[in-house]
Structure formats: C-alpha cells, structure tokens
Amino acid sequence: MTTSWDPTAAGVLRLPSGRLVRGRGLRRPLPPGPRPTFALYLLGHRPPPVGWESRWLRWPDFWLPSDRTATAAALREAYARAEDERVEIACAGGKGRTGTALACLAVLDGVPSRAAVAYVREHYAPRAVETPWQRRFVHRFP
C-alpha cells in the first residue's frame, strides 16, 4: 500500500469516499512532497516522460477528449488506483480538463453527475471545468 497524498496540500481533492487525488497544472513545477505512483495527463500533445507510471489522453485545451471510450476507461482506472495509490491528474493549467476529469471521478465516487462540477469547484478549484461542453461531458458521464 502506498502512502496517500497529504489531504491538506494544495490541489488535493478528497472525494466523498475519502480517496485523495491530486490535480495540477503542468505549467507549474512539480510540488514538493511525494511523487505520484500513477498519473493521467490530459493534453493535446504527448507529455514528456516522467519517473512514474502514466497515461496520456489526447485532450485539446478547452475541448473534450479525442477518444471518450479510452477516457472513461482511464478515469475508472485512476479512480480504482486512488484507493491505495497516489494518483495525479494534470493538464497544462490544472483547471479545465483536470477539473472535468476530477468531476468525473466524483461521479464514480457517488456524487450525482449534476452536482459533480459544483463539488469539484468547492473542494478543488473555484474555476474548475471551464466550458459548457466540459460541464455537459460531466453531466453525461459515465
């Protein structure tokens, strides 16, 4: 079992079940503390290699993922792994795509899809999930 994230650290979202997931923007340096054991990177281009297991989902800025089926599978994997691993979800800025993915994890954790964006905005970042189509993606997830 991996030690979890510090629940009081910036960017760490606590889901209702108690699972912790770190969201962040890749434009900023890696925060101090433990490194992820698994990460999902939501970018329009392949991210640079990292020293931990990661998956890349092609997801252009301000838009939706290119492959919704692969995205749903990757989000389910991240959710399952967050039970006992340090899971990170990141895009360039850490708000739109990351917030959308975190809201989907909240849905998987039992938050009603219509309330998931508000949950993430309250517990992660007030400006998470930036576009109407990202909100619609969450409302229709899984």
Side-chain angles (χ1 to χ4, degrees), residues 2 28 38 57 60 68 71 78 98 102 107 112 115 119-120 135 137:
T2 303
R28 292 184 290 284
F38 177 74
L57 297 173
R68 293 178 189 208
T71 299
T98 297
L102 291 173
V107 171
Y119 182 88
V120 169
R135 284 191 299 277
F137 183 82

Side-chain angles (χ1 to χ4, degrees), residues 66-112:
S66 299
D67 184 336
R68 293 178 189 208
T69 302
T71 299
L75 290 170
R76 284 186 186 92
E77 178 183 5
Y79 175 75
R81 293 178 78 154
E83 186 171 5
D84 59 9
E85 294 182 51
R86 287 187 306 273
V87 173
E88 171 178 87
I89 296 182
C91 63
K95 300 288 187 264
R97 295 167 284 184
T98 297
T100 301
L102 291 173
C104 291
L105 293 187
V107 171
L108 292 173
D109 203 55
V111 175

